[in-house]
């Protein structure tokens, strides 16, 4: 139930269908409760069904069942063949009941709205016209005497006018609802990209600070330790206070080096404290479109430097983000290969032909430019291109580059 409510909350078009259907069903129910069945040549009770408990219960039950079917029909997911057949059967029965006992237009104002959720306006209009063409003569034959042409024509004209009015009203609402859906989807995508960029900046800054600590403070403390060891070796054996002071200095230096190492380890991004393959698998596990990603690893995995690990991780993030932005729904193939002295990462995905002209991809994007600069700084190679409707990103880095 919570999944359905969340889905409806994010789908204004589905909410519009449910709202219009509820209003139309209420109108149909109200009409059938006030007007007795229009059966020619019967001696049925002509009292309003509103005062007959059995008739009241039957009409309310039919309306509630129909509304439940409508809500069920626009739920998330694909409809199976059996489900579509059931929906068609419910529609035919609903049209049949209203045609036999009342007016076919009562069913059309509901069915045309639901049909337009899946079909275009043109197809929905053709479906409505076909239904009117079939039901109008049937209704005229059952409820009028003499020539059927004029009653059928009048019934069809009224049905067409009412259906057109409902369809045009619903078309405006559904267009606005779908525009709102696209806007909401774009907003969620922008938020996702923003979070990714914040995460990227966070990873890079922590890595930079960690590297600075390791390369500067760690280097100086290590050099200091060598100096203290030399001084201790040169200190006269008889000068016990000096040797004790040097020993204490060496101990404090050892503790300082340990503190720096722990700080460097703590500053390492949590995502990159595991192996490279595991880090990428954790990234994919959290990716919204995981079902579109084909990730494979070849070669015997070995430990690589933190800079190489971060570069490959960023390349994977950038490839996933670009695929989701420029080729949504398309399958993306990620390949990680461990060679003897290099780590190779490759990403490929199909792209709509109108997105980018064939040839080399524009490298103006900050993310892609950053990957190219990072690869060069590590002594590696980076390229990207689009050929025959496929975008590819390739990066090769020395396994132990810093």
């Amino acid at each position: 139930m919570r999944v359905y409510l969340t889905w409806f909350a994010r789908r204004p078009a589905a909410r519009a269908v449910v709202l219009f259907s509820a209003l139309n069903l209420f109108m149909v129910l109200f009409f059938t409760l006030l007007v007795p069945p229009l059966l020619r040549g019967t001696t049925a009770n002509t009292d309003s069904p509103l005062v007959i408990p059995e008739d009241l219960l039957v009409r309310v039950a039919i309306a509630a069942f129909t509304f439940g079917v409508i809500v069920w029909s626009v739920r998330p997911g694909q409809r199976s063949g059996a489900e579509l057949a059931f929906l068609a059967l419910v529609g035919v029965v609903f049209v049949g009941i209203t045609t036999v006992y009342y007016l076919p237009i009562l069913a059309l104002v509901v069915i045309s709205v639901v049909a337009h959720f899946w079909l275009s306006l043109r197809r929905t209009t053709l479906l409505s016209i076909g239904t009117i063409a079939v039901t109008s003569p049937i209704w005229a034959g059952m409820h009028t005497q003499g020539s059927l042409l004029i009653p059928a024509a009048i019934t069809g004209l009224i049905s067409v006018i009412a259906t057109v009015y409902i369809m045009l009203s619903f078309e405006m609402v559904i267009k606005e609802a779908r525009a709102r859906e696209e806007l909401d989807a774009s907003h969620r995508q922008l938020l996702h990209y923003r979070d990714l960029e914040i995460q990227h900046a966070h990873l890079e800054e922590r890595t930079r600070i960690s590297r600075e600590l390791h390369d500067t403070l760690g280097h100086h403390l290590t050099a200091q330790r060598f100096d203290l060891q030399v001084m201790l070796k040169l200190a006269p054996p008889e000068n016990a206070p000096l040797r004790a002071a040097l020993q204490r200095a060496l101990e404090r230096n050892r503790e300082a080096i340990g503190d720096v190492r722990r700080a460097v380890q703590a500053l390492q991004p949590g995502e990159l404290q595991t192996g490279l393959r595991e880090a990428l698998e954790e990234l994919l596990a959290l990716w919204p479109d995981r079902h579109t990603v084909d990730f494979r690893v070849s070669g015997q995995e070995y430990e690589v430097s933190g800079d190489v690990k971060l570069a490959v991780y960023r390349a994977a993030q950038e490839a996933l983000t670009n695929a989701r932005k420029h080729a949504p729904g398309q399958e993306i193939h990620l390949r990680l290969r461990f060679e003897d002295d290099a780590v190779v990462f490759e990403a490929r995905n199909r792209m709509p032909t109108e997105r980018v002209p064939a040839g080399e991809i524009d490298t103006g994007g900050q993310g892609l430019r950053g990957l190219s600069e990072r690869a060069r700084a590590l002594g590696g190679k980076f390229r990207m291109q689009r050929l025959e409707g496929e975008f590819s990103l390739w990066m090769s880095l020395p396994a132990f580059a810093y």
Side-chain angles (χ1 to χ4, degrees):
M1 178 60 70
R2 182 176 298 178
V3 174
Y4 285 1
L5 293 177
T6 302
W7 186 81
F8 276 112
R10 294 180 177 178
R11 294 296 298 271
R15 295 204 308 270
V17 171
V18 173
L19 177 60
F20 257 74
S21 300
L23 293 174
N24 291 338
L25 277 172
F26 179 78
M27 179 190 70
V28 171
L29 177 62
F30 185 72
F31 181 87
T32 58
L33 288 176
L34 294 180
V35 179
L38 305 177
L39 286 175
R40 186 186 67 183
T42 65
T43 58
N45 194 334
T46 58
D47 293 336
S48 169
L50 191 61
V51 299
I52 305 174
E54 294 82 2
D55 291 354
L56 174 63
L57 181 61
V58 169
R59 284 159 175 76
V60 171
I62 292 176
F65 173 77
T66 305
F67 181 70
V69 170
I70 292 172
V71 174
W72 173 79
S73 69
V74 297
R75 76 193 192 282
Q78 297 292 327
R79 306 287 86 82
S80 66
E83 290 173 335
L84 292 176
F86 172 73
L87 291 174
L89 178 62
V90 171
V92 170
V93 171
F94 190 54
V95 171
I97 291 175
T98 56
T99 300
V100 171
Y101 291 99
Y102 289 99
L103 294 167
I105 185 58
L106 297 179
L108 281 173
V109 296
V110 176
I111 291 178
S112 59
V113 168
V114 180
H116 191 33
F117 182 72
W118 292 291
L119 305 178
S120 64
L121 180 61
R122 177 175 173 273
R123 292 185 177 182
T124 305
T125 302
L126 292 176
L127 175 65
S128 301
I129 292 174
T131 305
I132 292 171
V134 172
T135 57
S136 295
I138 296 175
W139 182 89
M142 297 184 64
H143 298 284
T144 62
Q145 297 179 349
S147 175
L148 303 180
L149 180 59
I150 294 178
I154 294 174
T155 303
L157 180 61
I158 294 174
S159 299
V160 168
I161 293 173
T163 303
V164 168
Y165 173 75
I166 293 294
M167 287 302 302
L168 290 178
S169 301
F170 182 67
E171 178 69 9
M172 290 187 291
V173 173
I174 201 73
K175 280 185 176 180
E176 181 180 355
R178 284 175 175 160
R180 189 182 298 274
E181 278 186 24
E182 294 177 1
L183 182 62
D184 290 344
S186 298
H187 180 65
R188 290 195 298 271
Q189 191 175 56
L190 286 174
L191 290 178
H192 177 71
Y193 294 153
R194 182 205 64 184
D195 293 340
L196 281 180
E197 288 303 318
I198 292 174
Q199 183 186 19
H200 296 171
H202 180 71
L203 288 175
E204 292 180 358
E205 184 62 14
R206 292 184 64 168
T207 303
R208 185 190 66 80
I209 296 173
S210 172
R211 185 166 52 242
E212 289 295 324
L213 283 176
H214 180 274
D215 295 344
T216 57
L217 184 58
H219 171 75
H220 291 311
L221 287 173
T222 302
Q224 183 189 60
R225 182 172 184 81
F226 290 146
D227 292 340
L228 289 172
Q229 288 174 338
V230 171
M231 291 175 64
L232 181 61
K233 182 176 292 188
L234 296 176
E238 62 275 10
N239 194 340
L242 175 60
R243 296 184 65 85
L246 290 173
Q247 287 287 1
R248 289 194 299 272
L250 275 172
E251 182 62 23
R252 285 194 293 269
N253 175 270
R254 185 187 65 80
E255 293 175 356
I257 291 176
D259 290 339
V260 169
R261 288 175 177 171
R262 284 189 291 271
V264 169
Q265 182 67 23
L267 283 170
Q268 284 292 325
E271 297 87 344
L272 304 182
Q273 291 183 3
T274 60
L276 181 54
R277 174 176 183 164
E278 186 177 349
L280 294 181
E281 288 175 344
E282 290 177 358
L283 171 64
L284 296 179
L286 300 175
W287 194 251
D289 301 328
R290 176 64 181 93
H291 62 284
T292 64
V293 182
D294 173 31
F295 176 55
R296 300 183 187 180
V297 181
S298 60
Q300 183 65 38
E301 182 176 8
Y302 48 79
E303 185 62 29
V304 299
S305 70
D307 288 339
V308 171
K309 192 181 298 184
L310 178 61
V312 174
Y313 191 86
R314 283 288 288 112
Q317 286 182 317
E318 190 68 28
L320 292 170
T321 301
N322 282 342
R324 194 164 190 253
K325 180 179 180 181
H326 298 295
Q330 296 289 332
E331 187 174 19
I332 177 170
H333 303 273
L334 302 182
R335 299 292 183 265
L336 177 63
R337 186 168 69 253
F338 290 91
E339 298 181 349
D340 292 341
D341 56 354
V343 175
V344 179
F345 174 78
E346 183 180 7
R348 294 181 293 105
N349 64 272
R350 302 293 300 177
M351 292 189 67
T353 55
E354 70 275 7
R355 293 284 184 178
V356 183
E360 196 72 17
I361 290 290
D362 179 17
T363 60
Q366 292 296 326
L368 296 175
R369 182 188 298 131
L371 292 178
S372 178
E373 293 174 354
R374 189 188 298 272
R376 286 199 300 269
L378 294 174
K381 299 177 182 179
F382 176 82
R383 70 168 182 264
M384 50 193 164
Q385 62 183 4
R386 179 182 182 274
L387 294 173
E388 299 180 356
E390 183 178 80
F391 172 75
S392 64
L393 179 154
W394 181 88
M395 174 184 280
S396 176
L397 300 172
F400 305 103
Y402 285 92

